[in-house]
């Protein structure tokens, strides 16, 4: 009997080892592709599935050249074999390893960082790896257009730098005609592999405005600058027009001489002729008086219609539209149970600023753990809602903020990815003024508004942002919302206060913190 029992024990031991090895199996899961802007930080997302403890495992990240850019073994980060290009720029989230988060943070992204990265994780009984592709985009500066006047025409020069990949440069006139083929465009790379484009366009006789446009399809971005040239400028620079001007002066002098003779002869005309002329003038004045009111009314109506269309084409809202949005104003107060520990909330829950030290807040499921954010108490799952926010930067500290909404189930712990795919719809002011869409949308507007209005149409699937001072539309997200949404406020800069304020209305203008600017007004158009 002993040999049989010994065999059973061996079989049982093998089964236990197989079961144990099966339970230790895991898979490394990453995003297929992630996009980052030059100069910003990016997190190469990677985690274990299921979410098991990775503290005792070996975590190795390599780049597309198979260089070891970061390794973690025996609970210690090792950078001995790290290339110089990655020195002091990569790190793991060590406090997240016990939850299976093996993501790598890469700071100050460079053009050379673009490529494929591999994350390999090895335990005592199992190993798995996955790859993630990093795409790098550099959104350059708005084009700077200058003008010079050679002897036979005008030369426009357009310069814009800080781009990657290389954008397309176009020249357009006010009629939409493409003038790019007539331009001479050169490019150069700086030490960071970013492109600078320089383009010259010579014209000889065409007045009106000309636009220099930079388009980058990778970032879905377009920046442009316009310059206006009057026809009088060509009179000054064209020698042929100089000769024509002399002839015109002589012609006018001759005409004045003839007119003088006629006036002298008319003075000697009979009294009857003078009386006829006086009667004609009287009749004309009476006719103008009768027709004047109707013609002026038609002209004013036409001017008002043109002014309304002009305002809409430039992104401004009419007073009637703005009033309709503000009628949906709601009372929003901040939820202290969601605030990051370094944020300081006012007693009335209407303002927030970042402090110097962490507060002793209890750790709740709603609290942002590493992202300097707080949400409102009020959530919305239907209807239309409007609220206004004032960013108070009295010390000119360079406010860096984000405003918008977040869905109820969005992740708030650890390294948070903020875009609509992960339940965040936000507007950001930092190095660039932009909407955090996919891809991001740069808003070419300076200065950045200090007072921002947010309008949520839940059933309509729209979240819109407006510059309150001039009723200017900034950006609109479109999405079919299915969860409760909460207003979100993010402040990264000290000495900057984000304040929820009462809407500015026509009946109550006095609460405006700063002097206001408005879109162009019509003298009789009370709806503009």
């Amino acid at each position: 009997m002993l040999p049989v029992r010994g065999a059973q024990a061996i079989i049982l031991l093998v089964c236990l080892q197989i079961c144990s090895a099966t339970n230790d199996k895991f898979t490394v899961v990453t995003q297929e592709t992630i996009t980052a802007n030059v100069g910003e930080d990016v997190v190469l997302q990677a985690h274990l599935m299921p979410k098991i403890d990775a503290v005792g495992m070996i975590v190795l990240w390599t780049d597309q050249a198979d260089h070891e850019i970061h390794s973690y073994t025996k609970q210690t980060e090792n950078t001995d074999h790290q290339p110089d290009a990655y020195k002091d720029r990569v790190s793991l989230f060590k406090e997240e390893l016990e939850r299976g988060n093996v993501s790598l943070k890469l700071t100050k992204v460079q053009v050379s960082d673009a490529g494929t990265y591999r994350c390999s994780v090895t335990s005592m009984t199992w190993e798995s790896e996955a790859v993630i592709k990093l795409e790098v985009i550099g959104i350059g500066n708005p084009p700077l257009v200058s003008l010079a006047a050679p002897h036979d025409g005008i030369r426009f020069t357009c310069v814009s730098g800080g781009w990657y990949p290389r954008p397309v440069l176009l020249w357009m006139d006010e009629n939409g005609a493409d003038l790019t083929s007539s331009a001479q465009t050169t490019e150069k790379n700086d030490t960071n592999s970013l492109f600078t484009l320089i383009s010259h366009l010579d014209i000889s006789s065409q007045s009106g405005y000309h636009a220099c446009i930079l388009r980058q399809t990778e970032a879905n971005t377009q920046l442009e600058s316009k310059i206006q040239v009057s026809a009088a400028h060509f009179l000054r620079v064209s020698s042929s027009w100089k000769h024509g001007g002399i002839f015109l002066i002589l012609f006018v002098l001759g005409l004045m001489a003839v007119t003088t003779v006629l006036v002298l002869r008319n003075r000697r005309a009979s009294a009857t002729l003078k009386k006829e002329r006086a009667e004609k003038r009287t009749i004309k004045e009476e006719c103008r008086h009768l027709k004047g009111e109707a013609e002026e009314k038609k002209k004013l109506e036409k001017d008002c219609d043109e002014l309304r269309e002009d305002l809409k084409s430039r992104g401004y809202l009419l007073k009637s539209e703005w009033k309709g949005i503000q009628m949906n104003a709601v009372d929003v107060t901040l939820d202290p149970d969601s605030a990051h520990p370094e944020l300081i909330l006012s007693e009335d829950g209407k303002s927030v600023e970042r402090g110097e030290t962490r507060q002793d807040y209890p750790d709740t499921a709603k609290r942002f753990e590493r992202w300097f954010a707080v949400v409102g108490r009020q959530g919305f799952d239907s209807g239309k809602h409007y609220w206004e926010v004032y960013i108070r930067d009295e010390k000119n500290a360079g406010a860096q903020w984000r405003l918008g909404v977040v869905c109820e189930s969005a992740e708030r712990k650890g390294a948070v990815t903020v875009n609509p795919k992960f339940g965040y719809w936000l507007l950001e002011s930092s190095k660039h003024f932009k909407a955090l869409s996919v891809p991001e949308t740069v808003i070419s507007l300076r200065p950045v508004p200090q007072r921002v209005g947010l309008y949520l149409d839940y059933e309509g699937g729209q979240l819109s942002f407006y510059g309150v001072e001039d009723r200017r539309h900034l950006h609109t997200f479109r999405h079919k919302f299915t969860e409760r949404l909460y207003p979100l406020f993010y402040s990264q800069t000290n000495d900057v206060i984000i304040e929820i304020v009462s809407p500015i209305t026509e009946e109550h203008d006095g609460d405006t913190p700063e002097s206001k600017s408005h879109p162009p007004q019509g003298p009789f158009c009370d709806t503009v």
Side-chain angles (χ1 to χ4, degrees):
M1 296 296 292
L2 289 176
V4 175
R5 291 179 179 176
Q8 291 176 340
I10 293 173
I11 294 173
L12 179 59
L13 180 60
V14 171
C15 289
L16 290 174
Q17 290 178 341
I18 294 173
C19 291
S20 175
T22 302
N23 292 335
D24 288 341
K25 287 185 178 181
F26 57 85
T27 302
V28 179
V29 179
T30 64
Q31 296 176 254
E32 292 183 1
T33 304
I34 189 169
T35 303
N37 291 324
V38 171
E40 297 184 355
D41 300 346
V42 67
V43 176
L44 305 180
Q45 300 278 359
H47 63 272
L48 304 184
M49 185 61 68
K51 295 182 178 181
I52 60 176
D53 189 350
V55 172
M57 299 183 184
I58 298 174
V59 181
L60 178 64
W61 279 89
T62 57
D63 63 10
Q64 59 185 353
D66 207 27
H67 294 141
E68 180 183 305
I69 64 173
H70 193 279
S71 98
Y72 172 86
T73 181
K74 297 182 180 179
Q75 303 185 23
T76 303
E77 293 185 89
N78 183 7
T79 59
D80 293 342
H81 304 290
Q82 187 182 73
D84 291 340
Y86 296 97
K87 289 294 185 183
D88 301 322
R89 295 178 54 226
V90 292
S91 60
L92 295 176
F93 299 94
K94 295 180 66 174
E95 65 276 13
E96 296 286 329
L97 288 172
E98 63 184 13
R99 290 192 282 269
N101 187 350
V102 292
S103 301
L104 184 73
K105 182 178 181 180
L106 177 61
T107 63
K108 299 178 181 178
V109 171
Q110 306 171 2
V111 172
S112 58
D113 292 334
T116 301
Y117 292 81
R118 184 180 306 276
C119 176
S120 303
V121 181
T122 305
S123 69
M124 296 293 293
T125 59
W126 192 256
E127 63 178 354
S128 178
E129 64 179 29
V131 296
I132 181 172
K133 183 179 181 182
L134 173 61
E135 295 180 348
V136 177
I137 293 175
I139 300 176
N141 301 315
L144 177 63
V145 180
S146 60
L147 179 149
H151 68 282
D152 59 349
I154 291 177
R155 164 165 286 192
F156 295 120
T157 300
C158 178
V159 180
S160 180
W163 293 92
Y164 186 84
R166 182 192 187 283
V168 176
L169 189 148
L170 303 171
W171 286 97
M172 307 288 284
D173 66 11
E174 63 181 2
N175 298 316
D178 190 341
L179 308 177
T180 309
S181 60
S182 301
Q184 297 178 349
T185 302
T186 58
E187 64 183 59
K188 61 181 181 179
N189 290 84
D190 60 17
T191 55
N192 296 319
S193 300
L194 298 177
F195 287 94
T196 295
L197 273 68
I198 304 173
S199 183
H200 303 289
L201 176 66
D202 295 327
I203 63 172
S204 58
S205 62
Q206 185 178 11
S207 61
Y209 76 77
H210 293 72
C212 177
I213 303 171
L214 276 299
R215 289 179 181 170
Q216 190 183 68
T217 57
E218 290 81 2
N220 193 25
T221 299
Q222 175 172 306
L223 301 180
E224 69 175 73
S225 293
K226 298 178 181 178
I227 188 168
Q228 181 79 25
V229 179
S230 65
H233 190 91
F234 292 97
L235 292 176
R236 292 195 296 269
V237 301
S238 173
S239 58
S240 62
W241 274 99
K242 290 181 181 178
H243 296 300
I246 295 173
F247 174 80
L248 180 63
I249 292 173
L250 294 175
F251 176 80
V252 171
L253 290 175
L255 183 62
M256 290 176 62
V258 174
T259 304
T260 301
V261 173
L262 291 176
V263 170
L264 293 175
R265 298 176 75 178
N266 284 337
R267 286 179 178 178
R268 295 191 294 267
S270 65
T272 302
L273 183 60
K274 292 181 180 179
K275 183 177 180 179
E276 290 177 356
R277 289 178 176 176
E279 290 175 349
K280 289 180 179 179
R281 286 196 297 269
T282 302
I283 294 173
K284 289 180 179 180
E285 289 175 357
E286 291 176 351
C287 291
R288 285 197 296 267
H289 179 73
L290 293 174
K291 297 179 180 179
E293 291 185 359
E295 292 176 349
E296 184 173 353
K297 182 178 179 180
K298 290 181 180 179
K299 182 177 181 299
L300 287 175
E301 290 176 348
K302 181 180 179 181
D303 290 344
C304 286
D305 291 337
E306 291 176 351
L307 183 56
R308 293 189 187 99
E309 292 302 319
D310 179 62
L311 289 174
K312 288 185 176 181
S313 68
R314 289 188 282 161
Y316 295 107
L317 267 68
L318 304 181
K319 285 183 180 178
S320 57
E321 296 173 323
W322 186 244
K323 185 176 180 181
I325 288 177
Q326 289 188 319
M327 288 179 62
N328 298 283
V330 293
D331 184 25
V332 175
T333 55
L334 302 175
D335 183 2
D337 291 338
S338 68
H340 183 277
E342 288 189 25
L343 296 182
I344 302 173
L345 277 58
S346 62
E347 292 184 0
D348 60 0
K350 289 293 185 179
S351 66
V352 59
E353 61 179 313
R354 183 183 174 188
E356 299 291 343
T357 59
R358 293 175 68 90
Q359 315 289 320
D360 188 16
Y361 290 157
D363 186 15
T364 65
K366 298 189 295 182
R367 190 174 306 285
F368 287 92
E369 182 179 64
R370 299 171 56 195
W371 207 51
F372 304 110
V374 60
V375 300
R377 292 178 182 273
Q378 296 76 14
F380 311 119
D381 54 14
S382 63
K384 299 177 180 180
H385 311 277
Y386 174 82
W387 61 98
E388 284 185 13
V389 179
Y390 177 58
I391 296 90
R392 191 183 302 276
D393 187 7
E394 296 178 347
K395 294 185 179 180
N396 196 25
Q400 297 185 35
W401 51 262
R402 293 172 180 173
L403 299 173
V405 299
V406 57
C407 70
E408 191 169 32
S409 65
E411 181 63 48
R412 301 186 186 183
K413 303 294 184 182
V416 178
T417 301
V418 286
N419 61 45
K421 290 184 178 180
F422 295 89
Y424 288 84
W425 293 266
L426 303 177
L427 193 70
E428 175 183 285
S429 174
S430 55
K431 179 182 178 182
H432 297 284
F433 186 40
K434 57 189 177 182
L436 299 182
S437 53
V438 180
E440 295 176 348
T441 303
V442 175
I443 303 171
S444 300
L445 178 64
R446 285 293 185 272
V448 174
Q450 288 185 282
R451 190 157 184 155
V452 179
L454 294 86
Y455 177 56
L456 172 65
D457 181 357
Y458 191 95
E459 284 80 9
Q462 294 186 8
L463 173 66
S464 298
F465 299 83
Y466 300 93
V468 175
E469 288 87 348
D470 54 6
R471 307 195 304 271
R472 182 167 183 165
H473 174 256
L474 303 175
H475 184 76
T476 293
F477 285 100
R478 291 176 172 83
H479 185 81
K480 184 177 181 181
F481 302 116
T482 57
E483 294 186 45
R484 180 178 291 266
L485 303 176
Y486 292 89
L488 183 141
F489 312 84
Y490 170 93
S491 177
Q492 184 173 331
T493 313
N494 299 107
D495 298 322
V496 174
I497 300 175
I498 297 180
E499 182 180 358
I500 305 169
V501 294
S502 300
I504 300 175
T505 62
E506 291 298 313
E507 294 78 11
H508 188 58
D509 285 342
D511 290 339
T512 310
E514 301 290 340
S515 60
K516 305 186 293 297
S517 61
H518 294 285
Q521 302 291 309
F524 301 96
C525 306
D526 57 0
T527 59
V528 176

